[in-house]
Amino acid sequence: MTERVEGHGGELALAALRAHGVREMFTLSGGHVFPLYDAAHKTDFPIYDVRHEQSAVFAAEAVAKLQRRPGLAVLTAGPGVTNGVSGLTSAFFNASPVLVLGGRAPQFRWGSGSLQEMDHLPLVAPVTKHAETVFSADDIPRAVTAALTAALTPHRGPVFLDFPLESVFSVGDAELPQVSPVAPIEADPDEVARAAGLIAAASRPVIIAGSDVYAGDAIDALRAAAEALQVPVFTNGMGRGALPPEHPLAFAKARRVGLKNADVVVVIGTPLDFRLGFGDFGDAQVVHIVDAPSQRAGHVRPAASPAGDLRLILTALAEHPGDRADHADWVAQLRVAEDAAKARDAEEMAADSDPIRPARVYGELRKVLAADAITIGDGGDFVSYAGRYLEPAQPGTWLDPGPYGCLGTGMGYAMGARVSHPDRQICVLMGDGAAGFSLMDVESLVRQQLPVVIVVGNNGIWGLEKHPMRAMYGYDVAADLQPGLRYDKVAEALGGAGETVEKAADLGPALTRAFDAGVPYLVNVLTDPADAYPRSSNLA
Ligand SMILES: Cc1ncc(C[n+]2csc(CCOP(=O)(O)OP(=O)(O)O)c2C)c(N)n1
Ligand SMILES: [Mg+2]
């Protein structure tokens, strides 16, 4: 049974959006998109607005990542859309189902020089799965449905539509297309069996599970596969927290030892990119399990690479009928390395140094974060430390920018997280450099009553660039910020609250006040500028 809908372009768009479970929009005002606001306003569809379009797209991406449903950003024509391009690109790298609806100058006088008249498609096409201009109101429901279907089909990703002024302002009517669930891609059973056989026969296998495992709702299947085959699990991105930290197969710190000694490395739902040494694991065989054939690596020859629905593939691995090698010694060996690294980390997280070292910030934070708290990283070294010292206890609680590495996600991701989880702790970990990209959106959070905690690791430098530049050239340029700057006062001026912390002993009480505040609260921690995150490759 199909439903017929009537109304202006905004109303037709909203009808299709609702049918797909879109529940809110993130935006920054512009006349070209007024009909979308009109439709939302009349039907109590929540509108959250921001102070820079990139925050709107990042907020939509956070919704998409956390809730595994489409996130929506509405951007006005021209500069509204171009300001959203870094957000779209991040979503593209992260396979996040984000829909950006753009305004567009009128078609009937295209070429005459209307305000903000530009064709957005050539700009956004390379970073979207689908980009289209919808020339008539009647066509909007079909276009929205097609775009969202593309966004949700693995390998997922962002999509873009723009509406010429006359198409979104005029009245039309259309059938509301049926929304059918995306059919799972079934992997080649022989390839799955080959993968299962390799893992089962391995002496020292490891799993690395990434974001698509969460996006594909395959967390339980991952756990079942790991348990059935007794394989230690490391994670990255949205895969973090897939196994609770106390699980016997959950590992984080023993990664170097694990990858150095493994004979089979099973990478699931994440690309073989720079984060994984480009898939070069020495003599180990690589099994790369991906959610769509397009995600198979071109630069590596895996021993097996099943491509398809991750839940189905992982369930098949769990049910592997053949013999399996005993991995108990291997798991025990990694546990020794893990425990030793944890003990070292615990010492660093308790360090009483002056100035404060970032490790201590995370030591204190761990004491006040609930298991379901959402932590968001936006910065350089300060966030690398977050990755090392914070242990997400549940899946879907960790947001990092992903392999595009775009600074500035902080306040947008925070908004999307707060809207997704009104009752949880939301904590943004920000470098002082990163803060400059989105801190103005504290105003948006205050005004719309979306409290979050922001912890700024304030070392007065672009640390992740300054230290490598010095190492490379013996000097650095364009890497300094004002030391000791009062970012807490910025939050205060924007209607939030905050404080500056200079002594390690003051961190705990400050964090407790922050989470109790009920308004956006910025804890400005003055950290040691001499502290550089140790990394083998310092280029980012
Ligand atoms: C949009 C964008 N611009 C520039 C960079 C390059 N970059 C990566 S990390 C970094 C430094 C971040 O400094 P800060 O946020 O203060 O964190 P710190 O390293 O000092 O802890 C820069 C400039 C980037 N990743 N994204
Ligand atoms: Mg810094």
Side-chain angles (χ1 to χ4, degrees):
M1 263 215 314
T2 52
E3 192 191 330
R4 229 182 147 73
V5 283
E6 271 183 40
H8 59 61
E11 291 171 314
L12 295 174
L14 218 69
L17 290 163
R18 279 183 196 279
H20 276 272
V22 177
R23 294 207 287 272
E24 69 290 294
M25 74 170 74
F26 300 96
T27 192
L28 192 157
S29 189
H32 291 82
V33 292
F34 279 177
L36 288 155
Y37 299 162
D38 180 57
H41 176 70
K42 281 181 183 152
T43 57
D44 291 328
F45 185 89
I47 300 172
Y48 298 99
D49 68 306
V50 295
R51 303 294 297 259
H52 189 300
E53 283 85 359
Q54 77 168 4
S55 289
V57 183
F58 287 137
E61 198 202 357
V63 164
K65 277 181 159 186
L66 292 169
Q67 299 191 54
R68 298 182 282 220
R69 66 165 171 86
L72 171 66
V74 173
L75 308 182
T76 199
V81 172
T82 55
N83 275 350
V85 170
S86 287
L88 269 174
T89 313
S90 288
F92 192 65
F93 275 65
N94 293 332
S96 303
V98 167
L99 169 62
V100 170
L101 296 181
R104 185 179 170 106
Q107 187 63 26
F108 73 91
R109 58 158 66 101
W110 194 264
S112 328
S114 295
L115 172 71
Q116 298 163 345
E117 181 189 277
M118 76 169 286
D119 183 10
H120 308 122
L121 266 54
L123 274 183
V124 302
V127 293
T128 51
K129 291 188 69 184
H130 177 94
E132 183 185 349
T133 299
V134 191
F135 290 102
S136 83
D138 293 349
D139 200 26
I140 287 177
R142 177 213 56 83
V144 167
T145 302
L148 288 177
T149 304
L152 292 167
T153 300
H155 190 59
R156 300 168 188 82
V159 291
F160 175 87
L161 299 174
D162 61 8
F163 303 143
L165 204 74
E166 69 271 38
S167 113
V168 73
F169 273 86
S170 61
V171 171
D173 70 284
E175 294 286 330
L176 200 55
Q178 290 270 300
V179 177
S180 29
V182 175
I185 304 174
E186 291 201 30
D188 173 1
D190 293 341
E191 194 71 6
V192 178
R194 191 162 32 251
L198 279 163
I199 303 166
S203 311
R204 297 176 309 281
V206 296
I207 285 175
I208 301 174
S211 298
D212 294 334
V213 175
Y214 181 75
D217 201 4
I219 295 288
D220 292 346
L222 169 72
R223 184 177 178 149
E227 287 175 352
L229 296 164
Q230 284 297 302
V231 184
V233 176
F234 297 85
T235 53
N236 73 12
M238 294 295 287
R240 299 190 72 196
L243 264 55
E246 64 279 6
H247 191 285
L249 294 170
F251 289 89
K253 324 267 171 210
R255 186 151 141 169
R256 197 180 298 251
V257 184
L259 290 179
K260 198 163 154 240
N261 297 299
D263 60 349
V264 172
V265 177
V266 189
V267 177
I268 310 172
T270 189
L272 299 171
D273 63 13
F274 68 96
R275 295 171 299 174
L276 295 180
F278 301 99
D280 180 358
F281 304 113
D283 293 336
Q285 288 190 294
V286 179
V287 174
H288 192 207
I289 303 179
V290 293
D291 67 359
S294 63
Q295 296 311 296
R296 288 198 173 117
H299 60 288
V300 174
R301 272 182 181 271
S305 189
D309 186 273
L310 294 181
R311 192 162 20 158
L312 295 179
I313 295 172
L314 290 168
T315 303
L317 293 188
E319 290 165 358
H320 174 63
D323 292 342
R324 57 205 60 185
D326 178 15
H327 303 145
D329 287 350
W330 169 236
V331 174
Q333 182 191 336
L334 289 185
R335 186 57 62 197
V336 171
E338 179 84 11
D339 289 346
K342 271 194 175 154
R344 281 195 299 275
D345 280 5
E347 268 174 40
E348 291 182 16
M349 282 191 282
D352 207 9
S353 47
D354 183 7
I356 298 171
R357 298 191 59 200
R360 180 66 187 268
V361 179
Y362 295 113
E364 296 302 320
L365 203 54
R366 283 174 65 128
K367 296 180 194 161
V368 296
L369 285 177
D372 66 355
I374 297 193
T375 46
I376 297 164
D378 180 14
D381 281 354
F382 189 59
V383 173
S384 303
Y385 283 115
R388 170 147 153 205
Y389 294 116
L390 295 181
E391 275 185 315
Q394 294 179 13
T397 59
W398 167 262
L399 289 175
D400 63 32
Y404 192 52
C406 187
L407 294 175
T409 55
M411 291 299 97
Y413 273 11
M415 180 178 276
R418 171 51 75 220
V419 166
S420 297
H421 295 293
D423 302 325
R424 294 200 195 173
Q425 291 172 327
I426 309 288
C427 183
V428 187
L429 310 159
M430 261 191 173
D432 51 338
F437 290 90
S438 76
L439 212 52
M440 196 67 206
D441 268 311
V442 166
E443 190 278 324
S444 314
L445 294 167
V446 169
R447 183 167 37 77
Q448 294 164 107
Q449 288 159 26
L450 301 168
V452 303
V453 170
I454 305 150
V455 180
V456 173
N458 185 351
N459 53 6
I461 54 175
W462 299 96
L464 190 148
E465 306 298 354
K466 183 177 176 97
H467 294 298
M469 191 168 176
R470 286 201 84 82
M472 220 183 269
Y473 292 96
Y475 70 89
D476 65 87
V477 294
D480 287 327
L481 300 162
Q482 280 182 50
L485 207 68
R486 295 294 301 272
Y487 293 97
D488 54 322
K489 295 267 187 213
V490 177
E492 237 173 73
L494 297 172
E499 61 188 286
T500 287
V501 176
E502 291 184 61
K503 299 271 174 273
D506 298 334
L507 274 167
L511 291 171
T512 303
R513 280 190 286 277
F515 283 107
D516 288 344
V519 292
Y521 195 102
L522 192 152
V523 182
N524 183 39
V525 187
L526 303 190
T527 58
D528 189 352
D531 188 295
Y533 187 82
R535 56 183 85 236
S536 43
S537 160
N538 269 325
L539 284 182

